[in-house]
Amino acid sequence: MFFLSAQTILQHDSLYSRPFTESFEETPMWVAVLTNVGYVILIIFGYLRDLLRHWKIEQRHIAREKEEQKDFVPLYRDFQNFYTRNLYMRIRDNWNRPICSVPGAKMDLMDRTSHDYNWTFEYTGRTVKDVINLGSYNYLGFAENTGPCADSAAQVVRTYGIGVASTRQEIGNLDKHEEMEKQVAKFLGVESAMAFGMGFATNSMNIPALVGKGCLILSDELNHTSLVLGARLSGATIRVFKHNNMQCLEKLLSEAIIYGQPRTHRPWKKILIVVEGIYSMEGSIVRLPEVIALKKRYKAYLYLDEAHSIGALGHRGRGVVDYFDLDPRDVDVLMGTFTKSFGAAGGYIAGKRLIEYLRSHSHSAVYAASMSPPVVEQIITSMKCIMGDDGTSIGCKRLQQLAENTTYFRRRLREMGFIIYGNDDSPVIPMMLYMPAKIGAFGREMLKKNIGVVVVGFPATSLVESRARFCISAAHSKEILDTVTRRQKRSLLLPGKKRWKKIHLIDSTSFLLHECVKGRG
C-alpha cells in the first residue's frame, strides 16, 4: 500500500473543493515476514491435525461428502475446507455473535460458549449488557426503537401489515413504494429512482441488465463482492485497475479506445467505470472529481456504489457527490443501500433515463418480492429527517455529530500510535493488527472490556494486513469514544508507528503456538 502524497493532490487541485487526505502505511518488511511465518505455523499444525483426523484420533466436524460418494467429483474445494477447519475455526467465536437489542451506540449480546473449539456453541442464558457498539453501520443512529422513525413504522404496520406477498409488477406495488422512490430521487437530486429489497442484489442483478457481451467494465480492485458478481454475471469483459489509481484507470481507458475489443478491434458497445463511494475495508473515499473528468474525456459511463457513503458524507448527507460538491447528473448510475445510514433494508438505483428500462429488464425488479411497508416507512422518515423536511434539525445535528466523532476518534487513535487506514473524513476506520494471533485475541479482549468490534483477516484482506474495523456513529458520544480508547490501550499490545517492540512479536508467536498445540478454536 502507499501514502497518498500531497504532490498527487496538487496536480489536480483545480478539481477538488476541499482537502483530500488519505494514508495507507506500507507493511514493514519484517512484520510481513513474521506474519507469513505465523500463517505457516498454522498451516503446518493444520496438516498435523488432519493427519490425526485421518487416523480417527481426532473427531472430524467438517462438511464432507458421504462415503458412498467418494468416487464422485469433490463437492467441497479442498483448500477452502482446509482453511475453514484449521484457521477460521480457531477464531470463529469472534463472528456471528447474537445481538438481543437495538444495535445502537450500545447493545446487548447473548453469551455463548463452546466445548468443541468453536465447532458448535451453547448459550449460557446470560446477557452481556451495554456493550459499546463499534461494528454496526449505524452511521446516523437511525437504527433505534424510539423516535419518529420507529413511531412512523409502527403506524404503517397497523395500516399495511408486515409483508406484501407479491412482486411490484403484479399486485405488490404500494403507494408507499411510489412515495419512497420519489423521496429518494428528490434526496439525490436526480430525475428518478428505483428501490430493491436487498442491497447485494441491487448490484449483482442490475449490472447484468445494464451491460453485456461486447461491453467493457473497468472495476476498482477493491470493489465489493456484489459489484464483482454483477460484473461477472453480465458477460462483459472485465479489467481491473489499482485502487483509486487514476493513472492506471486512464491507461485502461485509452487502451480501450485505441484497441477496441480483442481480436476484432471493434469499438466497445459501452465502457462502464465501476467504483464505490467509501471502500468499506480500507476506509478510503473514491477520487470522484478525477473519475468524472476521465469519464467525460473518454466518453465512458460511471456506476457509483454509495452503500457506505450515502448519508455518511457531505454537509447535506447526500454522499460522496455532495462531499465533493459535484453535480449528481454527472454520474450515470447512482447506487446506494438503505441498510446503513437509514437504519432500514434494501437498495436503490437512481439516475437519468434508465429507471423505466430497469423496471422491465432487472431480475431483481421482476422476480423479487416487494419491500416490507414498515421498512419503506423507515426509509421515508429517516430521509425526511436528514433533509429537514420533518420540520426539525435532527438530521443536520446527526450529520455534524458523525463528522465530529469521525475526526476525533481518528485523531485519538493516531495519538496513541496505532496505524490506521483511509480518508480523514471516513467513518469507517481500519486499525492494523497484522499478526494472525492478534485477530482473535483483539476481538476477545475487547469484548471482555465490553466493547464490540469487527476483526478481519485473510481472505477478506491480504495475508499480511489483518485489521480491526471500527464504524463510527452519530449515536456515539465523546465519553463513549474516550472509554473505548482507554480500554483499548490497556487491552492489548498492538503495533504502533514508533513503538514496535520485540516482546509484542514474541507474545504473538507464543500465543499462536499455544493455540495450535492446545487445538483451540
Side-chain angles (χ1 to χ4, degrees), residues 390-436:
D390 62 337
T392 71
S393 58
I394 293 174
C396 182
K397 289 178 179 177
R398 294 193 183 194
L399 290 169
Q400 184 178 354
Q401 187 65 50
L402 175 62
E404 291 175 359
N405 287 350
T406 297
T407 302
Y408 178 74
F409 196 66
R410 279 184 173 272
R411 187 179 76 246
R412 288 290 294 122
L413 290 178
R414 286 199 181 97
E415 289 171 353
M416 294 168 67
F418 295 115
I419 299 172
I420 60 174
Y421 274 7
N423 192 284
D424 286 352
D425 295 321
S426 169
V428 179
I429 307 176
M431 188 184 76
M432 306 312 293
L433 301 176
Y434 297 116
M435 305 291 177

Side-chain angles (χ1 to χ4, degrees), residues 459-474:
T461 67
S462 65
L463 198 67
V464 297
E465 291 188 342
S466 300
R467 64 196 65 181
R469 184 184 64 180
F470 305 118
C471 291
I472 303 303
S473 171

Side-chain angles (χ1 to χ4, degrees), residues 194 196 201-217 227 230-231 233-236 269-274 301-304 332-335 348-359 361-363:
M194 184 177 180
F196 304 87
T202 305
N203 279 329
S204 60
M205 292 290 100
N206 283 299
I207 292 177
L210 296 171
V211 292
K213 189 176 180 180
C215 299
L216 174 65
I217 294 176
L227 293 169
L233 291 174
S234 71
K269 295 178 181 177
K270 298 175 193 171
I271 299 177
L272 182 67
I273 303 170
V274 181
Y301 293 97
L302 176 58
Y303 187 107
L304 175 62
D332 300 287
V333 185
L334 284 163
M335 178 272 172
Y348 66 82
I349 293 284
K352 52 186 178 182
R353 298 190 299 274
L354 82 158
I355 300 304
E356 292 308 316
Y357 171 82
L358 287 177
R359 290 191 193 280
H361 289 79
S362 168
H363 286 71

Side-chain angles (χ1 to χ4, degrees), residues 306 320 460:
E306 292 225 62
V320 71

Side-chain angles (χ1 to χ4, degrees), residues 243-261:
H243 176 54
N244 250 353
N245 189 317
M246 297 301 105
Q247 290 77 22
C248 183
L249 175 58
E250 183 167 18
K251 183 174 181 291
L252 291 176
L253 280 167
S254 61
E255 289 176 352
I257 298 298
I258 294 169
Y259 299 111
Q261 299 183 43

Side-chain angles (χ1 to χ4, degrees), residues 224-506:
H224 190 263
T225 305
S226 59
L227 293 169
V228 174
L229 179 60
R232 289 174 178 172
L233 291 174
S234 71
T237 301
I238 305 168
R239 291 176 186 165
V240 178
F241 61 92
K242 293 179 181 178
H243 176 54
N244 250 353
N245 189 317
M246 297 301 105
Q247 290 77 22
C248 183
L249 175 58
E250 183 167 18
K251 183 174 181 291
L252 291 176
L253 280 167
S254 61
E255 289 176 352
I257 298 298
I258 294 169
Y259 299 111
Q261 299 183 43
R263 294 194 303 274
T264 64
H265 299 293
R266 292 175 181 171
W268 295 99
K269 295 178 181 177
K270 298 175 193 171
I271 299 177
L272 182 67
I273 303 170
V274 181
V275 293
E276 293 186 48
I278 291 179
Y279 291 85
S280 60
M281 208 55 72
E282 305 298 317
S284 56
I285 296 175
V286 64
R287 296 166 69 174
L288 190 60
E290 295 175 64
V291 175
I292 289 177
L294 289 174
K295 167 233 170 189
K296 290 180 176 179
R297 186 183 307 163
Y298 290 96
K299 304 295 188 292
Y301 293 97
L302 176 58
Y303 187 107
L304 175 62
D305 179 344
E306 292 225 62
H308 286 269
S309 54
I310 193 67
L313 285 181
H315 65 281
R316 300 178 303 155
R318 267 60 161 189
V320 71
V321 177
D322 184 31
Y323 176 78
F324 288 114
D325 293 320
L326 299 172
D327 188 344
R329 290 173 294 183
D330 287 335
V331 180
D332 300 287
V333 185
L334 284 163
M335 178 272 172
T337 61
F338 303 120
T339 54
K340 300 167 179 70
S341 294
F342 306 102
Y348 66 82
I349 293 284
K352 52 186 178 182
R353 298 190 299 274
L354 82 158
I355 300 304
E356 292 308 316
Y357 171 82
L358 287 177
R359 290 191 193 280
S360 57
H361 289 79
S362 168
H363 286 71
S364 189
V366 176
Y367 300 109
S370 298
M371 294 177 69
S372 175
V375 173
V376 172
E377 184 63 22
Q378 168 76 18
I379 296 165
I380 294 171
T381 308
S382 60
M383 203 168 282
K384 286 181 177 179
C385 286
I386 298 171
M387 298 174 70
D389 288 353
D390 62 337
T392 71
S393 58
I394 293 174
C396 182
K397 289 178 179 177
R398 294 193 183 194
L399 290 169
Q400 184 178 354
Q401 187 65 50
L402 175 62
E404 291 175 359
N405 287 350
T406 297
T407 302
Y408 178 74
F409 196 66
R410 279 184 173 272
R411 187 179 76 246
R412 288 290 294 122
L413 290 178
R414 286 199 181 97
E415 289 171 353
M416 294 168 67
F418 295 115
I419 299 172
I420 60 174
Y421 274 7
N423 192 284
D424 286 352
D425 295 321
S426 169
V428 179
I429 307 176
M431 188 184 76
M432 306 312 293
L433 301 176
Y434 297 116
M435 305 291 177
K438 295 289 189 185
I439 302 172
F442 185 76
R444 292 165 187 152
E445 289 299 317
M446 292 299 281
L447 187 58
K448 288 178 184 177
K449 306 290 185 182
N450 250 38
I451 300 171
V453 300
V454 173
V455 287
V456 190
F458 180 81
T461 67
S462 65
L463 198 67
V464 297
E465 291 188 342
S466 300
R467 64 196 65 181
R469 184 184 64 180
F470 305 118
C471 291
I472 303 303
S473 171
H476 292 139
S477 64
K478 184 174 179 293
E479 290 72 25
I480 288 177
L481 299 179
D482 285 336
T483 300
V484 171
T485 53
R486 281 198 305 271
R487 294 178 184 176
Q488 181 174 284
K489 191 173 184 179
R490 296 194 300 265
S491 175
L492 276 176
L493 291 172
L494 288 173
K497 291 181 181 177
K498 296 184 179 179
R499 56 187 189 82
W500 268 94
K501 297 180 181 179
K502 291 183 180 179
I503 188 65
H504 298 181
L505 304 174
I506 294 170

Side-chain angles (χ1 to χ4, degrees), residues 102-108 130-136 138 141 143-144 450-452 471 473-477 480 484:
V102 173
K106 294 184 178 181
M107 59 187 177
D108 298 337
D130 295 326
V131 177
I132 295 175
N133 182 6
L134 286 177
S136 298
N138 186 23
E144 52 193 355
N450 250 38
I451 300 171
C471 291
S473 171
H476 292 139
S477 64
I480 288 177
V484 171

